[in-house]
């Protein structure tokens, strides 16, 4: 396979690796600062226990045992899903237009999954037992506990995504090696173990199959499956049980993931002058997906509200009424609605389209989906079917400890991209080859 | 209790069964007879082996095969020893499971499970531990199954049970493993009480969802316990429980470990399941597992701290499978005291005692049975005759937790 | 303290350790998750691995590389989590 790319294009591709700007250092300091704030609070939590969060027992305890930690966990997993779904779709369906952002999407997936893992770790009361209790119990518990299904599938999914990245990166490193920093030679040596140009076609086929496995697992079974089942299978809480949670979770995941990819891609484009590498058409396309997924999200919210207030069982009716009486719920809906309306308006009048506006609206969508997720978890717990307790519904306001974890995980994602961008090209070589050759791979 | 009392085979139900059974190609009388005996198996009157033997040939003749999937019984008939754990309940379970499967049409059910299962399905739930409604006791197979009959009519809301439980187990403030509601309800003028320990469900959602098997049902006696050495503190049991009986140990326990002797903490299997949980681990009512294991003396086996503290004779703890146990005896006696006038009104029920299981529709098969009125969806908790504060307890635990969180934060800043 | 705790921990990690699952629970060994996880959810992964070895073009050494990544990354993931949790254990519990 010949590489028919001009030096300029390749220089563009590796531009983040060679340069070191003031903005980069600033971002690095900000990310480390955010992580530092979280670590400070988390050490307090380890010292004193989960009592430092605002969580409490539902029932006579007058609180909620699951809060922002679980809401943010679902949110990060959702962002992770959309990322790899997009990347896998590029490969499977030949959506070459999105090739420039495919690897960023994969990287976002890995970073977001890591954050989801962090939230599990800090959510449990005994993090020291996470491995020693879970692994020995796995063979006897995976058939029963939806939480074990979750652990299993997320592990599988993380491993598949990382394998996908590790295999696809070989092609690029081989061809760009002379432009990559010598100090990192040992890293590349490990990544390239046993490489020969003959393997390209074979590896291409292997990653096609990984993409295939991912595209079946991620939407149908992960964010449309085990994650919603954590809640949908429990009839004790009025707002949780029911089959609509699968589609609903998936719609939220895809909406937030596209937003995340838009933000990441726009950041790189701006930081490294990648106007030609990530052309505006990519953003127009991503915007349409954002609008479409946002529409599905809003439609499923409508379904839940209408079925919850028309003639629902007492507790579900109450839960729904409280939900629609909560102002912050409408903020969440409004943020997604705003993004959707903007995208649709741009379809009618393309001149309205602007990447900064889209990025701003994407931030809004991320906030909106996070709020919706946290509300879902908390309000579900506040409206148990057994509502005789005076303390039900209890009150819940996220504590500084919990909020710091949100800040910290955002910091982790930023740090991840800052580091990775210095080691490997965050855009596949195929992207510029495709641009020059008109797309030569299926 | 005679058969008539236990089995709801009145004319109407028999007509209904005949109708259902006659829709099939199989022998209606055989089906009815088997259904009666299947109910007796459920009620623990007839052993599984007897049931199996009694109908084996009839089944072969009628269906060409005996589809009752009871291999352990065949072993039993062959003279092999049936292990203690795979006891009679498994037959009841397989029959009941068959009868409960709503996705199977009645005709399919007949083909698969035989007429007895179909007959049982007509009465699904009638004999499966719901108890009370038809004048029976909540016995359910052999082996010990600890449980309670709580007579709410006797409760006066003094909270002695809550205090006793809290003290005996060294609970932190607000972690009321035993909890008493005072509530007002529509169409009921006076104060009502609901006494709420853990229900120690036979089909407990908490054990199903536990990712690490820390929350488990002890096979020997059906206690639902938490292995404090394994629990990771994910609180999934707490969100799956419909009753709200779980209390997480959010911070350092009020009573230090050193003050709790080992024998109260470790059960007869050597597992740490007794007394209050350590920090970061889930706790809930254990039905005083240390007492049941004889750690507080033989005379306290079959008792609980709350039962002992109750001066109103409301709480009755014991082996639900034993007709002579305290809960079953209380049920008999109380019903005897509330007999209906059947001489003038022969159609009336034997007694006027109302019993219920909490949230029975959740399908958890609780092992706590109540005498009295079930709170309606409109019931509202009110201040009781004795407040939690009066007896040195805390009702709303979030107040304690908020204090703890604030104190810690201040401590860090100071 | 660490040195003493480690063998216990390693023993507990053996899947066949008697303590697995907390013991004494009476749920049947086969549950809804058995079919869900092993029959449905992981089916695409089985298919993927089979496809790596059969069909054209394929290469046994590259297929092993892929399997190595799957196994290695799983080990690294849980191994590093184990290290992190042990550090927390030693410092705080």
């Amino acid at each position: 396979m010949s590489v028919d790319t001009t030096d300029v294009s390749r220089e563009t591709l590796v531009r983040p690796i060679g340069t070191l700007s003031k903005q980069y250092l600033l971002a690095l300091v900000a990310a480390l600062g955010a992580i530092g704030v979280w670590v400070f609070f988390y050490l307090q939590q380890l010292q004193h226990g989960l009592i430092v969060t605002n969580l409490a027992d539902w029932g006579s305890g007058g609180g909620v045992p699951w809060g922002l930690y679980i809401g943010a966990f679902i949110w990060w997993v959702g962002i992770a899903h959309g990322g790899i779904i997009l990347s896998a779709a590029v490969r499977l369906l030949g959506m070459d237009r999105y090739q420039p952002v495919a690897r960023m999407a994969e990287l976002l997936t890995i970073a977001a999954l890591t954050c989801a893992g962090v939230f599990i770790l800090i959510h449990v009361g005994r993090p020291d037992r996470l491995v020693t209790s879970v692994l020995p119990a796995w063979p006897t518990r995976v058939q029963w506990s939806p939480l074990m299904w979750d652990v299993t599938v997320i592990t599988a999914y993380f491993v598949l995504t990382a394998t996908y990245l590790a295999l696809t990166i070989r092609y690029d490193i081989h061809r760009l090696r002379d432009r990559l920093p010598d100090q990192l030679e040992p890293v590349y040596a490990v990544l390239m173990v046993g490489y020969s140009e003959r393997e390209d076609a074979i590896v291409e086929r292997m990653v096609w199959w990984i993409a295939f496995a991912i595209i079946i697992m991620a939407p149908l079974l992960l964010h449309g499956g085990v994650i919603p089942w954590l809640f949908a299978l429990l009839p004790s809480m009025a707002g949780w049980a029911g089959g609509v949670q699968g589609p609903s979770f998936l719609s939220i995941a895809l909406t937030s993931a596209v937003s995340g990819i838009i933000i990441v891609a726009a950041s790189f484009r701006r930081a490294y002058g990648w106007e030609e590498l990530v052309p505006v058409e990519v953003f127009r396309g991503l915007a349409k997906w954002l609008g479409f997924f946002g529409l599905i999200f809003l439609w499923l919210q409508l379904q839940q509200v209408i079925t919850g207030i028309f003639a629902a069982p007492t507790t579900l009716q109450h839960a729904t009424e409280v939900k629609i009486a909560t102002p912050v719920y409408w903020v969440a809906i409004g943020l997604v609605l705003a993004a959707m309306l903007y995208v649709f308006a741009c379809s009618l009048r393309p001149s309205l389209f602007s990447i900064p506006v889209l990025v701003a609206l994407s931030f809004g969508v991320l906030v909106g989906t996070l709020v919706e997720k946290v509300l879902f978890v908390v309000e579900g717990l506040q409206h148990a079917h057994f509502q005789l307790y005076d303390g039900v519904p209890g009150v819940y306001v996220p504590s500084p400890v919990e909020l710091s974890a949100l800040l910290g995980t955002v910091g982790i994602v930023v740090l991840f991209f800052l580091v990775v961008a210095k080691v490997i090209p965050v855009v596949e070589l195929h992207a510029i080859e495709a641009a020059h050759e008109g797309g030569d791979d299926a | 209790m005679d058969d008539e009392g236990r089995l709801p085979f009145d004319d109407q139900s028999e007509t209904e069964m005949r109708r259902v059974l006659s829709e099939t190609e199989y022998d209606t009388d055989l089906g009815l007879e088997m259904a009666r005996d299947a109910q007796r198996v459920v009620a623990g009157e007839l052993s599984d082996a007897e049931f199996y033997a009694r109908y084996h040939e009839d089944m072969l003749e009628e269906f060409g095969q005996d589809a009752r999937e009871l291999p352990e019984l065949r072993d039993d008939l062959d003279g092999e020893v049936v292990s203690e754990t795979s006891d009679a309940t498994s037959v009841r379970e397989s029959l009941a499971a068959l009868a409960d499967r709503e996705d199977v049409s009645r005709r399919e059910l007949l083909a698969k499970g035989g007429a007895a299962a179909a007959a049982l399905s007509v009465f699904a739930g009638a004999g499966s531990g719901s108890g009370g409604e038809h004048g029976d006791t909540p016995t359910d197979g052999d082996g010990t199954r600890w449980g309670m009959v709580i007579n709410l009519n006797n409760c006066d809301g003094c909270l002695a049970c809550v205090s006793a439980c809290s003290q005996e187990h060294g609970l932190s403030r607000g972690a009321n493993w035993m909890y008493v509601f005072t509530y007002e309800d529509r169409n009921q003028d006076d104060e009502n009480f609901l006494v709420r320990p853990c229900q120690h469900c036979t089909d407990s959602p908490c054990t199903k969802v536990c990712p690490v098997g820390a929350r488990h049902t002890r096979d020997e006696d059906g206690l639902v316990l938490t292995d404090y050495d394994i629990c990771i503190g994910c609180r999934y049991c707490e969100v799956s429980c419909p009753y709200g009986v779980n209390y997480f140990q959010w911070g350092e326990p009020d009573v230090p470990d050193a003050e709790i002797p080992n024998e109260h903490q470790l059960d007869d299997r050597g597992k740490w399941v007794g007394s209050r949980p350590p920090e970061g681990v889930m706790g809930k009512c254990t039905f005083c597992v240390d007492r049941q294991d004889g750690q507080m003396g033989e005379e306290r086996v079959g008792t609980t701290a709350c039962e002992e503290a109750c001066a109103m004779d409301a709480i009755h703890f014991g082996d639900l499978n034993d007709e002579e146990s305290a809960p079953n005896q209380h049920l008999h006696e109380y019903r005897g005291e509330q007999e209906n006038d059947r001489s003038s009104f022969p159609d009336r029920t034997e007694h006027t005692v109302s019993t219920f299981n909490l949230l029975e529709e959740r399908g958890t098969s609780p092992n706590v049975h109540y005498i009295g009125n079930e709170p309606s969806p409109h019931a509202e908790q009110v201040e009781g005759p004795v407040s939690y504060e009066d007896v040195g307890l805390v009702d709303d635990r979030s107040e304690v937790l908020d204090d703890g969180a604030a104190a810690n934060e201040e401590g860090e800043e100071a | 303290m660490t040195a003493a705790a480690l063998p216990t921990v390693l023993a507990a990690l053996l899947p066949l350790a008697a303590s697995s699952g907390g013991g004494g629970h009476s749920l049947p060994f086969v549950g809804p998750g058995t079919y869900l996880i092993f029959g449905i959810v992981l089916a695409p992964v089985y298919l993927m691995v089979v496809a790596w070895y059969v069909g054209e073009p394929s290469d046994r050494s590259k297929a092993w590389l892929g399997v190595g990544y799957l196994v290695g990354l799983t080990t690294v993931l849980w191994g590093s989590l184990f290290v992190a949790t042990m550090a927390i254990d030693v410092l705080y519990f």
Side-chain angles (χ1 to χ4, degrees):
Chain A
M1 193 166 172
S2 66
V3 179
D4 178 23
T5 319
T6 64
D7 275 356
V8 180
S9 295
R10 286 189 173 198
E11 283 306 332
T12 309
L13 202 62
V14 296
R15 194 175 290 161
I17 298 176
T19 58
L20 189 65
S21 64
K22 197 178 271 180
Q23 285 92 330
Y24 179 91
L25 291 173
L26 220 61
L28 192 67
V29 169
L32 289 172
I35 295 170
V37 170
W38 162 61
V39 168
F40 169 76
F41 279 103
Y42 183 55
L43 291 180
Q44 282 190 28
Q45 184 185 312
L46 283 173
Q47 195 78 45
H48 303 288
L50 280 162
I51 194 168
V52 299
T53 65
N54 261 14
L55 298 166
D57 300 301
W58 82 268
S60 78
V64 293
W66 284 7
L68 177 67
Y69 283 171
I70 290 293
F73 159 76
I74 311 168
W75 184 67
W76 278 121
V77 177
I79 291 173
H81 284 128
I84 198 68
I85 289 171
L86 186 127
S87 177
V90 168
R91 194 166 294 273
L92 290 176
L93 307 175
M95 296 160 73
D96 288 345
R97 181 205 276 198
Y98 301 104
Q99 200 139 42
V101 296
R103 181 164 290 154
M104 289 181 213
E106 291 156 30
L107 294 170
L108 181 62
T109 295
I110 289 175
L113 271 184
T114 306
C115 294
V118 164
F119 272 107
I120 292 293
L121 181 76
I122 65 178
H123 161 82
V124 298
R126 292 298 301 256
D128 57 313
R129 294 177 177 171
L130 209 50
V131 180
T132 53
S133 277
V134 166
L135 289 191
W138 189 83
T140 51
R141 296 305 307 164
V142 67
Q143 39 279 69
W144 287 103
S145 175
L147 204 54
M148 267 321 209
W149 305 349
D150 211 61
V151 167
T152 308
V153 181
I154 288 183
T155 301
Y157 177 67
F158 183 94
V159 168
L160 285 180
T161 307
T163 303
Y164 185 92
L165 185 69
L167 287 173
T168 50
I169 199 76
R170 289 159 73 89
Y171 180 92
D172 295 23
I173 291 179
H174 177 68
R175 282 158 186 79
L176 295 169
R177 205 154 177 178
D178 52 339
R179 290 161 210 276
L180 299 175
D182 295 337
Q183 302 94 306
L184 294 171
E185 186 56 32
V187 177
Y188 301 130
V190 170
L191 287 171
M192 297 303 290
V193 62
Y195 181 84
S196 71
E197 284 197 15
R198 280 206 330 259
E199 78 171 40
D200 292 341
I202 295 163
V203 167
E204 187 63 27
R205 183 171 167 275
M206 283 173 71
V207 294
W208 188 93
W209 277 101
I210 301 180
F212 169 83
I214 284 170
I215 210 108
I216 292 178
M217 281 176 75
L220 300 182
L221 302 167
L222 196 39
H223 222 87
V226 294
I227 307 279
W229 284 331
L230 279 177
F231 308 90
L233 302 183
L234 303 182
S236 308
M237 308 296 158
W240 283 1
V244 75
Q245 299 311 348
S248 180
F249 270 54
L250 183 59
S251 73
I252 298 167
L254 293 168
T255 311
S256 53
V258 174
S259 302
I261 294 165
I262 287 172
I263 293 167
V264 171
S267 306
F268 273 102
R269 187 178 196 262
R270 190 184 162 87
Y272 296 107
W274 275 356
E275 281 78 13
E276 46 180 317
L277 187 58
V278 191
V280 72
E281 279 66 40
V282 171
F283 290 93
R284 284 186 187 275
L286 287 173
K288 279 179 189 149
W289 285 111
L290 179 64
F292 175 68
F293 292 140
L295 176 67
I296 305 282
F297 166 85
L298 294 168
W299 170 59
L300 287 164
Q301 291 294 318
L302 178 69
Q303 295 295 327
Q304 290 174 73
V305 170
I306 295 296
T307 51
I309 56 173
F310 183 77
T314 338
T315 44
L316 177 57
Q317 176 129 15
H318 185 58
T320 314
E321 281 168 2
V322 170
K323 177 161 97 169
I324 60 178
T326 307
V328 72
Y329 174 73
W330 294 106
V331 172
I333 295 295
L335 287 168
V336 178
L337 187 68
M340 188 194 80
L341 291 177
Y342 174 70
V343 169
F344 287 177
C346 289
S347 302
L348 295 174
R349 194 182 287 268
S351 62
L352 284 174
F353 187 80
S354 124
I355 292 179
V357 174
L358 182 66
V359 168
L361 287 168
S362 295
F363 270 112
V365 167
L366 285 177
V367 171
T369 46
L370 175 65
V371 167
E372 198 282 341
K373 282 292 63 140
V374 176
L375 271 183
F376 171 81
V377 172
V378 170
E379 294 207 325
L381 282 163
Q382 288 182 332
H383 296 94
H385 277 291
F386 189 56
Q387 53 179 169
L388 184 51
Y389 294 101
D390 191 40
V392 172
V395 286
Y396 172 71
V397 179
S399 60
V401 183
E402 290 167 285
L403 289 168
S404 76
L406 191 63
L407 185 69
T409 47
V410 171
I412 288 174
V413 172
V414 174
L415 181 68
F416 178 82
F417 272 102
L418 290 175
V419 171
V420 168
K422 293 289 169 212
V423 180
I424 58 167
V426 294
V427 175
E428 279 190 59
L429 193 53
H430 281 308
I432 53 176
E433 286 172 352
H436 285 263
E437 296 172 8
D440 62 345
D441 40 24
Chain B
M1 300 247 74
D2 57 13
D3 276 8
E4 286 304 311
R6 180 183 310 287
L7 302 172
F9 271 58
D10 53 29
D11 290 347
Q12 203 183 341
S13 56
E14 181 158 336
T15 312
E16 166 65 8
M17 282 186 72
R18 282 193 179 280
R19 191 187 61 74
V20 172
L21 287 166
S22 63
E23 282 174 9
T24 72
E25 60 196 287
Y26 303 119
D27 187 326
T28 303
D29 287 330
L30 173 63
L32 272 177
E33 200 183 323
M34 282 183 66
R36 279 204 182 87
D37 280 346
Q39 289 259 303
R40 294 179 64 200
V41 173
V42 168
E45 289 185 344
L46 185 69
S47 88
D48 318 326
E50 277 178 280
F51 176 72
Y52 186 83
R54 190 173 291 181
Y55 293 105
H56 185 56
E57 285 187 9
D58 287 338
M59 289 291 280
L60 285 178
E61 194 181 317
E62 183 70 20
F63 301 105
Q65 57 166 332
D66 191 344
R68 295 169 296 167
E69 293 169 33
L70 313 171
E72 67 272 34
L73 288 182
R74 286 188 210 104
D75 291 348
D76 198 23
L77 289 176
D78 292 345
E80 283 180 29
V81 178
V82 182
S83 73
E84 295 240 337
T85 47
S86 68
D87 61 11
T89 54
S90 58
V91 175
R92 188 196 66 78
E93 278 162 11
S94 44
L95 283 170
L98 213 50
D100 286 345
R101 284 184 55 185
E102 287 169 12
D103 55 326
V104 183
S105 77
R106 207 145 254 167
R107 178 168 285 275
E108 272 180 291
L109 194 64
L110 283 163
K112 285 181 180 161
L120 257 187
S121 76
V122 176
F123 300 101
S128 58
S130 60
E133 293 305 316
H134 304 287
D136 59 350
T137 48
T139 49
D140 183 4
D142 302 329
T144 305
R145 188 166 49 89
W146 296 120
M148 282 182 178
V149 166
I150 300 179
N151 191 332
L152 300 176
N153 298 335
N154 287 358
C155 177
D156 70 346
C158 70
L159 306 185
C161 54
V162 186
S163 294
C165 172
S166 180
Q167 276 172 20
E168 177 151 331
H169 300 292
L171 305 181
S172 295
R173 281 174 304 149
N176 299 314
W177 285 4
M178 172 57 101
Y179 188 74
V180 176
F181 298 84
T182 308
Y183 68 93
E184 284 171 355
D185 211 342
R186 282 190 192 169
N187 308 320
Q188 293 189 48
D189 296 333
D190 45 349
E191 277 176 333
N192 302 279
F193 302 104
L194 180 68
V195 181
R196 189 236 62 198
C198 169
Q199 306 286 304
H200 289 264
C201 310
T202 299
D203 294 313
S204 44
C206 59
T207 55
K208 274 191 183 146
V209 303
C210 180
V212 296
R215 178 61 57 80
H216 64 282
T217 305
R218 194 162 78 163
D219 276 341
E220 66 191 73
D221 52 12
L223 292 185
V224 177
L225 302 168
T226 315
D227 190 329
Y228 297 152
D229 276 320
I230 289 177
C231 175
I232 56 171
C234 71
R235 316 190 280 290
Y236 203 20
C237 50
E238 181 170 353
V239 304
S240 77
C241 172
Y243 306 103
V245 305
N246 290 281
Y247 294 88
F248 190 68
Q249 195 62 48
W250 297 98
E252 190 67 30
D254 291 355
V255 177
D257 198 51
E259 290 178 21
I260 307 173
N262 260 350
E263 57 264 31
H264 293 298
Q265 305 201 25
L266 304 179
D267 76 349
D268 59 11
R269 301 164 302 169
K271 288 184 188 295
W272 184 14
V273 296
S275 293
R276 99 285 181 278
E279 183 182 315
V281 165
M282 189 58 76
K284 67 156 191 68
C285 157
T286 62
F287 269 175
C288 299
V289 60
D290 47 347
R291 288 177 181 241
Q292 311 326 324
D293 287 354
Q295 300 287 11
M296 292 178 70
E298 281 307 310
E299 71 282 3
R300 283 197 158 127
V301 175
T303 68
T304 59
C306 53
E307 179 190 37
E308 237 173 50
C310 181
M312 302 304 292
D313 201 31
I315 300 172
H316 304 270
F317 178 83
D319 177 8
L320 293 183
N321 284 345
D322 177 5
E323 285 288 349
E324 305 303 316
S325 68
N328 287 336
Q329 280 306 310
H330 180 75
L331 211 49
H332 284 305
E333 284 164 19
Y334 196 69
R335 281 173 178 151
E337 291 164 12
Q338 320 268 330
E339 270 184 42
N340 238 333
D341 176 11
R342 297 181 86 182
S343 53
S344 322
F345 307 99
D347 287 343
R348 283 190 178 174
T349 51
E350 275 183 61
H351 55 78
T352 59
V353 175
S354 156
T355 58
F356 68 95
N357 285 349
L358 211 49
L359 302 180
E360 188 166 13
E361 74 279 7
R362 299 279 139 217
T364 53
S365 310
N367 282 311
V368 174
H369 301 264
Y370 291 97
I371 295 173
N373 293 321
E374 185 166 15
S376 82
H378 307 290
E380 278 187 20
Q381 192 179 6
V382 294
E383 184 80 7
V386 177
S387 78
Y388 281 77
E389 287 68 27
D390 290 344
V391 289
L393 294 164
V394 175
D395 186 1
D396 187 347
R397 194 182 184 200
S398 63
E399 289 163 16
V400 180
L401 295 177
D402 286 351
D403 287 352
N408 283 331
E409 274 160 27
E410 279 160 21
E412 289 299 320
E413 283 161 18
Chain C
M1 180 186 159
T2 332
L6 205 60
T8 330
V9 166
L10 289 176
L13 275 173
L14 289 174
L16 295 176
S19 64
S20 81
H25 63 82
S26 46
L27 290 171
F29 187 68
V30 173
T34 316
Y35 308 103
L36 182 76
I37 296 297
F38 300 103
I40 301 174
V41 172
L42 293 179
V45 179
Y46 306 152
L47 200 61
M48 173 192 84
V49 173
V50 169
W52 284 355
Y53 284 93
V54 299
E56 283 305 317
S58 67
D59 175 57
R60 196 152 288 242
S61 69
K62 292 298 164 251
W64 280 116
L65 179 72
V67 172
Y69 272 131
L70 297 182
V71 175
L73 285 166
T74 310
T75 312
V76 167
L77 186 69
W78 282 92
S80 54
L81 189 60
F82 177 70
V83 172
T85 56
M86 281 304 107
I88 290 174
D89 189 25
V90 170
L91 293 171
Y92 292 99
F93 289 95

